[in-house]
Amino acid sequence: MKSAVETLEPTKVKLTVEVTYDELKPSIDHAYEHIAEQVTVPGFRKGKVPPRIIDQRVGRPAVIEHAVNEGLSTFYAEAVRENKLRPMGQPEVNVTQVPGLSTAKDAEPGELHFTAEVEVRPEITVPELEGLALTVDSLEVSDEDVTGRLDALRERFGTLVGIDRPAAEKDFVVLDLVATIDGEQVDQVSGVSYQIGSGNMLEGLDEALTGLSAGETTTFETELAGGDHAGERAQVTVSATTVKERQLPDADDDFAQLASEFDTLEELTADLREQAARIKASNQAVQARDLLLEKLLEGTEIPVPDGVVQAEVTRHLESEGRLEDDEHRAEVNEQAASALKNQILLDTLAEQLKIKVSQQELIDYLVSASRQYGMDPNTFIQTIDQQGQIPMMVAEVARSKALAVALRRVAVTDSEGAAVDLADFIGTDEDDAAIEAADLVEDAAEAPAEETTQA
């Protein structure tokens, strides 16, 4: 099989493929077998109809068409591998020549020729990691950090008490809402408890409720967030039935014993300080990762395959039923292009760093993903496998690991100038070497069992 590549755009190529008759013949033979099982010819059992009879009854062109349709994907994939292309979308295939349409003995068998235009991952140059410097926040835990965690814990054990004053931020209001458009009621809810400042209902509701006492009513204009009139402007009348505030328990030894395994408030606050320090350390790793990705993107020219972006935008809008929403389309388009740039950068980085994904790393990722979907891990993995999405999962793990390995190559300091050790979050090269060695041992141990089974 011969193949050649022509670059049409930085993100699009044209493959020209020539397949000999001998290479196509297995598909032709299979086409005869498949058609023989489908046709009924007097004097022959199904599946036993000779090729010459099929040529007479069905026609040689139909056989060749069946063979070409069956073999195209295989020949395309082989050409992609030979030319080391990285397709990012579905190809547009055009068959320019088909072989063997004639059944005459002296006829030339001919060849299968086709072209395939496909969007591919562009070749990009990732900035050198050595010499890059990142600055993250300090690990210092302030008294305010500890007090904030203590207050959050106290709120979990607080009680709501009715109050006779205007509502303020963080108060809870039991309310009734009536929404109207042009004087016609379009929605209504009653007896809903809402905390002022949470911002999880309607825009403008926090402002409307602030200063409202139990039994009072006010009206404001807003955009409806759900229902048949989502996105439309409406007049909303809100009535406060009751106003409550959360009263917190005193921060003392009794509370420490109630809310934790500690006997004293001093022990509890010491533990909260340690928790805050651990969270800040984790945040340092996340911040360093985001800063590194930002720096690499700033220093890299990344052309984006527009067809891939538009396919993702259409898929997204169809799932939301918002294909005609041009404003939302522009927003989704920007998000899809940004995500694709990140993917192209990280895939290239993973190749340059020769990232390998171990079985355990893949399993850990799949188990974590199953929890996000609320599925049993085994069921989730089986479903992903059946859908052919395991390679996509491997690629996602490789991208994440590429950033972690890249972080080991750059200098990370905090705002005070002190070096930051992120090994607990991004691992070490020695850790990766140990994992790889363990995989090799496991593969070697499984090999004899597989050979015995095959024998």
Side-chain angles (χ1 to χ4, degrees):
M1 188 183 81
K2 298 178 182 178
S3 63
V5 178
E6 176 188 355
T7 299
L8 304 178
E9 302 171 11
T11 62
K12 193 172 189 178
V13 300
K14 179 180 181 180
L15 263 176
T16 301
V17 184
E18 300 177 0
V19 183
T20 66
Y21 183 85
D22 288 341
E23 290 170 316
L24 184 62
K25 193 172 185 305
S27 295
I28 296 175
D29 292 341
H30 186 267
Y32 276 117
E33 293 173 3
H34 186 265
I35 293 172
E37 294 173 352
Q38 305 298 319
V39 299
T40 301
V41 179
F44 297 95
R45 288 179 296 156
K46 278 200 172 185
K48 300 298 182 180
V49 184
R52 62 182 177 80
I53 302 299
I54 291 176
D55 286 341
Q56 294 172 5
R57 293 298 185 96
V58 179
R60 177 76 167 178
V63 176
I64 296 299
E65 182 181 2
H66 189 293
V68 169
N69 289 338
E70 179 187 81
L72 265 180
S73 60
T74 301
F75 299 129
Y76 166 73
E78 185 177 342
V80 165
R81 285 194 298 272
E82 284 184 354
N83 292 279
K84 298 180 180 178
L85 299 177
R86 305 176 186 87
M88 299 195 74
Q90 294 299 316
E92 294 182 9
V93 178
N94 180 31
V95 177
T96 56
Q97 178 179 312
V98 293
L101 291 179
S102 174
T103 59
K105 291 184 178 180
D106 58 349
E108 289 290 332
E111 295 184 338
L112 166 65
H113 293 183
F114 68 90
T115 62
E117 293 187 8
V118 63
E119 291 187 297
V120 296
R121 197 182 87 198
E123 297 291 337
I124 62 173
T125 302
V126 179
E128 290 291 333
L129 296 172
E130 284 72 14
L132 284 181
L134 308 174
T135 302
V136 297
D137 295 335
S138 170
L139 269 183
E140 181 183 357
V141 178
S142 67
D143 291 341
E144 289 76 14
D145 293 328
V146 178
T147 299
R149 298 186 68 81
L150 179 60
D151 287 344
L153 185 60
R154 292 169 65 202
E155 285 184 0
R156 289 171 51 189
F157 290 86
T159 55
L160 294 180
V161 178
I163 52 175
D164 185 18
R165 62 165 173 77
E169 187 172 0
K170 292 191 176 182
D171 284 342
F172 289 80
V173 180
V174 178
L175 53 83
D176 299 332
L177 287 174
V178 176
T180 60
I181 297 178
D182 297 330
E184 180 182 351
Q185 182 175 316
V186 296
D187 203 358
Q188 177 181 4
V189 294
S190 299
V192 175
S193 179
Y194 175 78
Q195 185 178 24
I196 298 178
S198 61
N200 56 10
M201 282 189 69
L202 293 172
E203 184 179 350
L205 181 59
D206 290 332
E207 292 79 1
L209 289 175
T210 300
L212 210 63
S213 298
E216 292 183 342
T217 298
T218 190
T219 300
F220 65 102
E221 184 176 318
T222 188
E223 184 177 289
L224 298 181
D228 296 336
H229 297 272
E232 297 184 39
R233 301 294 295 182
Q235 292 290 323
V236 177
T237 299
V238 56
S239 301
T241 304
T242 57
V243 178
K244 299 180 180 181
E245 68 176 359
R246 176 180 277 138
Q247 292 188 351
L248 306 183
D250 293 335
D252 53 24
D253 292 346
D254 289 339
F255 173 70
Q257 294 166 21
L258 171 67
S260 70
E261 71 273 26
F262 301 108
D263 294 326
T264 66
L265 181 62
E266 183 178 359
E267 292 173 322
L268 173 58
T269 52
D271 182 69
L272 293 176
R273 187 175 292 275
E274 290 179 5
Q275 290 180 29
R278 288 194 296 270
I279 291 174
K280 286 204 170 191
S282 176
N283 289 343
Q284 277 187 330
V286 173
Q287 187 181 10
R289 179 201 65 192
D290 293 346
L291 286 172
L292 176 58
L293 179 59
E294 184 180 323
K295 276 185 174 290
L296 293 178
L297 286 170
E298 286 176 355
T300 311
E301 185 67 30
I302 306 177
V304 177
D306 187 63
V308 178
V309 172
Q310 295 311 314
E312 173 58 23
V313 170
T314 299
R315 184 202 63 78
H316 183 97
L317 294 178
E318 282 181 343
S319 69
E320 295 182 334
R322 300 176 67 178
L323 277 172
E324 306 305 320
D325 189 336
D326 292 338
E327 184 177 346
H328 187 49
R329 176 181 288 275
E331 179 184 341
V332 175
N333 191 89
E334 183 178 347
Q335 294 171 351
S338 177
L340 195 56
K341 276 188 177 183
N342 290 352
Q343 178 182 319
I344 292 170
L345 174 70
L346 294 179
D347 284 343
T348 304
L349 184 63
E351 284 186 3
Q352 291 185 358
L353 295 176
K354 297 180 171 59
I355 297 298
K356 295 180 180 179
V357 176
S358 71
Q359 294 179 9
Q360 191 57 52
E361 287 170 331
L362 176 60
I363 291 172
D364 289 344
Y365 176 82
L366 292 174
V367 170
S368 176
S370 72
R371 294 195 186 103
Q372 294 178 8
Y373 288 97
M375 293 178 63
D376 171 73
N378 290 328
T379 302
F380 178 78
I381 292 173
Q382 288 175 4
T383 302
I384 291 297
D385 189 25
Q386 291 168 359
Q387 294 175 346
Q389 294 184 7
I390 292 296
M392 293 173 55
M393 300 296 108
V394 172
E396 193 60 38
V397 177
R399 293 175 195 127
S400 178
K401 187 173 180 179
L403 261 183
V405 173
L407 274 175
R408 303 173 196 165
R409 310 283 191 268
V410 304
V412 182
T413 57
D414 65 18
S415 54
E416 305 298 324
V420 176
D421 183 3
L422 299 175
D424 288 345
F425 305 97
I426 63 175
T428 64
D429 292 343
E430 291 74 17
D431 293 336
D432 289 349
I435 292 173
E436 187 174 340
D439 273 356
L440 290 174
V441 170
E442 184 175 344
D443 291 342
E446 292 176 353
E450 292 176 357
E451 291 171 5
T452 302
T453 302
Q454 293 171 358

